[in-house]
Amino acid sequence: MAKSSDDVWILGASMTKFGRYPGRDVVDLGSEAALAALSDGDVKIHDMQVMAVGNLAEAGGMVGQRIQKQIGQTGIPVYNVANACATGATAVRTVYMAIKSGEADMGLAVGVEVMGKAGLLGSAGRSKEGPNVYEPSGRYGAVMSPEGILGTGVMPGVFAQAGMEYAYENDGVTFEQFAKVAEKNHAHSVLNPLAQYQKAFSLEEIKAAEMVAYPNTLLMCCPTGDGAAAVVLVSGEKLASLSDEQRKRAVKISASVLTSDPWTERGQVQPDVNTLTRNAADAAYEKAGVSPQDLDLVELHDCFATAELLHYDNLRLCEPGGAGDFIDSGAPRRDGRTPVNVSGGLISKGHPLGATGVANLYEVATHLRGEAGDRQVPEAKVGLTHVIGLGSACAVHILEKAAS
Amino acid sequence: MSTTVPIVDYLELGDEPRLVAKSCSSCGALYFDRRNACARCGGTDFDRRPLAGQGKVRTFTIVQRAAPGVKVPYVSAVVDLDGGGSVKSNLVDVEPAPEQVTLGMPVRLVTYSVGTDDQGTEAVAFGFAPA
């Protein structure tokens, strides 16, 4: 791993504990994460030359500038970004590109979300005021909300269908195998003090929980919640001028890739979460010169248990079609061959939408630095992060420990 | 005589109700929504293409928790239609239980009333029943 001055590095990283913060807003949580990331990197807001802030719920609300007004108004460019559940990773990549382009040598990326108890996400049923008259509207000429009549577009069902499609194409994937993913991630979260929930559940409890959208039970769905995460990125050239301690803890971004959906026929009626993930993963492996077998840990987008199983295959962690066997083998457990979501994943660590794609970089970087405490993956040198936002946007980052 | 209206404009009512897609005149890609151009090849001309009323269940879920106003449980499915085209809708005339729905099972298009507005117009939806 030669240090090239072209490389971009993570200098500082932080996340708030995910959970529920009544009375705190996106500015409070975003500022907390930003200040902690700056402190972690031993730099100041005045060292930043660019800032990108990811948030969905207030995407039109200049959240980045509002955070600046709390932590330092230095006049640098701010990019406020939104990209569904890939929002945080998009903010990271915005700063990454600014550094790559040579416009900046240090920048701050923040992801933040305050959701409260938002409930089901997706195209929920609408209620109308006034007289009820059927008039075709929208791009499908619909006279009423099609939710629950022409199938479902709400997230648990969408990802359930994605999982069942995998079952259709790969004989033998079962309800139990999907449930095992959730059992693993809940178990992992027990060791993560920053997780929204830190409670293990038995496979039987997970299978017997309230069914939300078969095969996803309530314990196989991520919760809504609040939280923020931030990273400070630095150019390789600038990093060379910093202290030994800063250089030692720096984590290299070996690949940063963002994709959208290429046209597929079925993607017109049911989001195709596979193709853009495969494209992103393949491009990232090539760019980093890393193979899936080299990965010491992976933080992937387990918004639902069905999603994680698919992504074993999409990220090439298992043999093609072998995601069911992969979970059965224990390979993605913390002590397995390729630990997946040792943080507890979205299912238990939580999923404040805009924060997620930054928080998973925090998690992997913390392991590569050897600072993950009880949940530390031993000797971790290479890790991958993945998020997908429906619509769709997929981001994959590959991180590597600094050569000592 | 009461009038009827399809729930979406790609459902064509009549003696033999059918789904009609917009087909890109250049590459044949199929769409159900209003189009500005083809997402596959960029073509801007589209033809109407009626789709088969038979197909196979490619994937499904059984929705048991939904927003207020949406009746549960129900089976949502994506159906691959014979001769091309995939469409999402509910499975009907089948018990919403995992052991009653099989991946790959043959189904056929059916229509049914989903309500009447204040002017007496009836809305007609489509779904798929076991063939």
Side-chain angles (χ1 to χ4, degrees):
Chain A
M1 279 178 257
K3 274 189 190 175
S4 156
S5 60
D6 277 351
D7 291 329
V8 177
W9 298 71
I10 295 175
L11 183 65
S14 77
M15 68 176 278
T16 67
K17 181 178 167 65
F18 284 177
R20 308 212 188 270
Y21 291 97
R24 300 192 74 196
D25 61 15
V26 291
V27 177
D28 288 320
L29 293 172
S31 297
E32 180 183 326
L35 290 171
L38 291 166
S39 169
D40 181 63
D42 196 16
V43 285
K44 296 192 161 40
I45 188 69
H46 300 86
D47 298 316
M48 301 301 113
Q49 291 144 9
V50 62
M51 181 169 167
V53 174
N55 174 263
L56 276 178
E58 299 180 37
M62 302 294 268
V63 174
Q65 284 83 345
R66 284 158 61 202
I67 290 173
Q68 278 189 313
K69 291 182 172 77
Q70 299 303 316
I71 67 170
Q73 287 180 258
T74 57
I76 58 171
V78 175
Y79 298 90
N80 292 291
V81 303
N83 229 349
C85 301
T87 290
T90 302
V92 173
R93 193 169 152 66
T94 301
V95 172
Y96 173 94
M97 290 191 297
I99 293 174
K100 272 280 186 191
S101 75
E103 281 206 12
D105 60 24
M106 216 185 282
L108 174 66
V110 182
V112 58
E113 205 73 42
V114 173
M115 300 172 78
K117 293 195 167 187
L120 295 166
L121 301 188
S123 53
R126 294 187 298 259
S127 60
K128 279 200 295 190
E129 304 262 319
N132 182 27
V133 176
Y134 294 147
E135 278 172 18
S137 69
R139 300 192 77 94
Y140 295 92
V143 301
M144 62 177 67
S145 166
E147 180 64 24
I149 301 171
L150 304 182
T152 184
V154 179
M155 292 303 122
V158 166
F159 279 93
Q161 289 183 165
M164 293 300 283
E165 183 177 43
Y166 188 80
Y168 181 51
E169 289 173 338
N170 301 282
D171 209 22
V173 175
T174 62
F175 174 46
E176 174 135 340
Q177 286 169 324
F178 289 125
K180 279 183 181 175
V181 168
E183 187 276 323
K184 169 183 71 72
N185 291 354
H186 285 295
H188 283 168
S189 73
V190 172
L191 296 178
N192 184 0
L194 299 176
Q196 183 165 347
Y197 297 102
Q198 291 175 258
K199 188 172 185 319
F201 294 91
S202 71
L203 191 57
E204 290 314 310
E205 286 174 306
I206 288 164
K207 287 161 66 182
E210 178 195 343
M211 185 59 73
V212 175
Y214 179 87
N216 286 322
T217 69
L218 190 61
L219 291 172
M220 296 159 73
C221 301
C222 68
T224 58
D226 314 331
V231 289
V232 174
L233 304 189
V234 63
S235 69
E237 194 176 342
K238 177 73 177 176
L239 180 63
S241 72
L242 299 180
S243 72
D244 284 352
E245 180 63 15
Q246 285 167 309
R247 288 205 304 274
K248 205 173 72 189
R249 292 180 71 244
V251 169
K252 186 174 135 187
I253 301 180
S254 300
S256 169
V257 176
L258 183 68
T259 57
S260 63
D261 285 324
W263 184 93
T264 58
E265 183 174 307
R266 288 190 195 87
Q268 307 305 310
V269 294
Q270 152 81 10
D272 170 9
V273 299
N274 304 314
T275 309
L276 82 166
T277 297
R278 286 169 179 255
N279 289 352
D282 291 348
Y285 289 131
E286 187 179 341
K287 202 164 282 187
V290 160
S291 84
Q293 288 73 37
D294 297 328
L295 299 174
D296 298 308
L297 77 158
V298 171
E299 288 285 308
L300 64 74
H301 203 73
D302 61 321
C303 44
F304 299 93
T306 47
E308 174 162 326
L309 203 91
L310 295 179
H311 294 316
Y312 294 153
D313 206 325
N314 291 330
L315 298 174
R316 322 293 188 191
L317 306 182
C318 63
E319 294 295 314
D325 293 339
F326 190 72
I327 185 70
D328 282 345
S329 76
R333 303 189 77 89
R334 197 165 57 82
D335 57 358
R337 178 164 60 81
T338 310
V340 175
N341 290 331
V342 292
S343 66
L346 280 58
I347 285 178
S348 196
K349 180 177 72 174
H351 184 25
L353 309 176
T356 294
V358 187
N360 63 12
L361 289 172
Y362 165 82
E363 180 69 16
V364 171
T366 301
H367 285 269
L368 299 183
R369 289 164 155 185
E371 299 173 358
D374 292 342
R375 69 183 187 285
Q376 175 71 42
V377 172
E379 313 272 316
K381 293 187 175 57
V382 188
L384 178 147
T385 67
H386 158 259
V387 283
I388 180 167
L390 278 199
S392 295
C394 176
V396 169
H397 286 88
I398 293 178
L399 306 183
E400 293 186 71
K401 184 185 173 73
S404 48
Chain B
M1 197 182 95
S2 73
T3 55
T4 58
V5 61
I7 183 168
V8 284
D9 61 14
Y10 57 91
L11 171 65
E12 201 175 83
L13 301 178
D15 291 342
E16 283 201 37
R18 59 185 189 174
L19 300 177
V20 181
K22 295 162 187 78
S23 169
C24 173
S25 306
S26 305
C27 77
L30 300 176
Y31 302 97
F32 290 117
D33 58 341
R34 185 172 81 229
R35 300 303 304 179
N36 299 89
C38 175
R40 185 196 206 179
C41 77
T44 52
D45 294 324
F46 294 88
D47 305 312
R48 285 166 46 80
R49 184 177 150 199
L51 303 177
Q54 296 80 36
K56 290 187 171 63
V57 172
R58 178 173 182 79
T59 184
F60 72 94
T61 181
I62 300 164
V63 177
Q64 305 221 16
R65 192 199 265 204
V70 175
K71 277 186 229 153
V72 290
Y74 66 92
V75 184
S76 167
V78 175
V79 173
D80 282 351
L81 298 170
D82 297 349
S86 291
V87 64
K88 187 172 71 174
S89 195
N90 283 14
L91 294 189
V92 298
D93 299 338
V94 63
E95 194 192 327
E99 53 285 1
Q100 299 300 319
V101 187
T102 317
L103 292 167
M105 76 188 242
V107 291
R108 65 187 166 81
L109 185 80
V110 295
T111 56
Y112 59 100
S113 173
V114 279
T116 305
D117 73 7
D118 294 346
Q119 299 174 343
T121 301
E122 185 185 10
V124 176
F126 68 92
F128 290 89

